[in-house]
Amino acid sequence: MNLKGRDFLKLLDYTPEEIDYLIELAANLKAKKKAGVPHRFCEGKNVALIFEKTSTRTRCSFEVAAHDLGMGVTYLDPSGSQIGKKESIADTARVLSGMFDGIEYRGYGQELVEELARFADVPVWNGLTNEFHPTQILADFLTIKEHFGRLKGINFVYMGDARYNMGNSLMVGCAKMGVNFTACAPSKYFPEQALADECRAIAEKSGAQIKFIEDPFEAVENADVIYTDVWVSMGEPVEVWEERINDLAAYQVNSELMAHASPGAVFMHCLPAYHDKKTVIGKEMCEKFNRDSMEVTEEVFEGKQSIVFQEAENRMHTIKAVMAATLTE
């Protein structure tokens, strides 16, 4: 399958066959890395990483993946880029296209990465926007496939605020790949109706089911994967913590909830996670609201059902697959 020159902006742009190809390529590249087999397929190329929102996993994944593929990397942090400030996105795209072979963008509205791709002459990869996080979902699906041996027919439950990039992208990915998707939260935290309808139409072809359930114990019945994310996303004001805790406390992933899932169920989280008080924000919010943890308990996060660090490692392998596939024949 030849994806050379393609942008990677959202999973809606890719067929199930193309998504499966990227997952299998990632598995192959992971095996090569574990075996110490060089795979410098992009020797001599250079990529630009634009980060208007900072990150640990995404930045490290792109940088290590690029180096493994033989590429040079230029990192542009929020203070190192004039994109949309002193220089338009269109101009930035054309300038960087003359210097680099690929551009990664992590920032705010999806329209920004879409405009960057429209004016760039090289592949553009979405490292995260407010609406979509497609590289994360590839990592999640590789992890699920490694654990269960398949994607199709897996029962996947997303607990918490499903209105933004993670809920949206997981719903799209599950619909494409035949994974049964349930979003569990108060109804005001469900994805937008238009995207939900689009995903239901996609799911009719893949055989997936798309559900929205408010009762957490009903939602996780027969679940193979229980997934959650932080209750307050990057860039949101600290004032929303109280509202989110009031609304989502009942949706915390804890041992009682995991016990209602399938016996072999696993726990996943895109990280970072507030499972204890060992971060500045986690400590501050837990003490302020008299809690030991937020979206997931320490017992579950560190428990035998948790595969979060396998999932985190797979960010690098799947990002490597995206870059390799879109930059080479």
Side-chain angles (χ1 to χ4, degrees), residues 93-111:
R94 287 175 286 192
V95 167
L96 295 182
S97 292
M99 301 178 184
F100 295 95
D101 300 285
I103 304 167
E104 179 271 353
Y105 174 84
R106 177 183 173 94
Y108 296 94
Q110 180 71 15
E111 71 277 2

Side-chain angles (χ1 to χ4, degrees), residues 28-29 31-41 68 320:
N28 180 270
L29 293 171
K32 280 183 166 58
K33 186 171 179 68
K34 297 293 185 184
V37 177
H39 42 282
R40 298 174 69 86
F41 304 142
D68 282 355
K320 187 187 295 182

Side-chain angles (χ1 to χ4, degrees), residues 210-232:
I210 306 293
K211 297 179 180 178
F212 305 101
I213 297 175
E214 293 192 52
D215 182 270
F217 293 101
E218 177 188 350
V220 302
E221 185 177 354
N222 298 318
D224 299 305
V225 178
I226 297 179
Y227 197 117
T228 193
D229 191 8
V230 293
W231 290 338
V232 178

Side-chain angles (χ1 to χ4, degrees), residues 270-323:
C270 54
L271 303 183
Y274 296 127
H275 57 96
D276 57 23
K277 300 178 182 178
K278 296 178 182 177
T279 62
V280 172
I281 296 176
K283 184 175 187 293
E284 179 185 352
M285 292 302 133
C286 282
E287 290 180 353
K288 182 175 181 179
F289 296 103
N290 194 29
R291 297 180 62 87
D292 293 323
S293 55
M294 291 296 173
E295 75 278 2
V296 58
T297 61
E298 175 79 352
E299 185 178 12
V300 170
F301 187 86
E302 295 290 357
K304 63 181 180 179
Q305 291 171 285
S306 174
I307 55 174
V308 296
F309 294 109
Q310 177 185 349
E311 176 188 5
E313 178 191 334
N314 283 339
R315 289 297 310 283
M316 189 269 289
H317 302 299
T318 46
I319 282 171
K320 187 187 295 182
V322 169
M323 291 196 293

Side-chain angles (χ1 to χ4, degrees), residues 113-310:
V113 74
E114 298 276 353
E115 184 177 2
L116 191 63
R118 189 161 62 251
F119 286 95
D121 295 326
V122 297
V124 173
W125 311 298
N126 180 359
L128 173 142
T129 62
N130 294 340
E131 292 83 5
F132 294 108
H133 196 2
T135 60
Q136 177 68 54
I137 278 55
L138 289 185
D140 296 339
F141 283 2
L142 173 60
T143 309
I144 292 169
K145 201 166 185 179
E146 288 175 336
H147 190 84
F148 292 100
R150 74 187 200 282
L151 289 174
K152 196 171 182 64
I154 290 293
N155 295 319
F156 185 104
V157 179
Y158 181 85
M159 303 291 299
D161 191 346
R163 298 171 296 174
Y164 302 121
N165 46 41
M166 285 309 303
N168 289 344
S169 296
L170 285 166
M171 180 172 63
V172 170
C174 287
K176 291 265 185 179
M177 304 309 291
V179 177
N180 298 318
F181 175 84
T182 299
C184 182
S187 59
K188 71 178 185 179
Y189 292 100
F190 290 161
E192 288 187 0
Q193 190 62 49
L195 183 61
D197 290 342
E198 186 174 3
C199 287
R200 282 199 169 106
I202 294 168
E204 287 182 6
K205 299 177 182 178
S206 71
Q209 295 181 338
I210 306 293
K211 297 179 180 178
F212 305 101
I213 297 175
E214 293 192 52
D215 182 270
F217 293 101
E218 177 188 350
V220 302
E221 185 177 354
N222 298 318
D224 299 305
V225 178
I226 297 179
Y227 197 117
T228 193
D229 191 8
V230 293
W231 290 338
V232 178
S233 299
M234 185 184 302
E236 292 190 283
V238 70
E239 291 76 25
V240 304
W241 271 104
E242 184 172 7
E243 177 189 10
R244 297 289 168 78
I245 290 171
N246 288 337
D247 290 345
L248 298 174
Y251 299 87
Q252 181 191 64
V253 181
N254 50 41
S255 296
E256 184 182 8
L257 191 73
M258 293 297 297
H260 280 75
S262 294
V266 297
F267 170 73
M268 299 179 71
H269 193 303
C270 54
L271 303 183
Y274 296 127
H275 57 96
D276 57 23
K277 300 178 182 178
K278 296 178 182 177
T279 62
V280 172
I281 296 176
K283 184 175 187 293
E284 179 185 352
M285 292 302 133
C286 282
E287 290 180 353
K288 182 175 181 179
F289 296 103
N290 194 29
R291 297 180 62 87
D292 293 323
S293 55
M294 291 296 173
E295 75 278 2
V296 58
T297 61
E298 175 79 352
E299 185 178 12
V300 170
F301 187 86
E302 295 290 357
K304 63 181 180 179
Q305 291 171 285
S306 174
I307 55 174
V308 296
F309 294 109
Q310 177 185 349

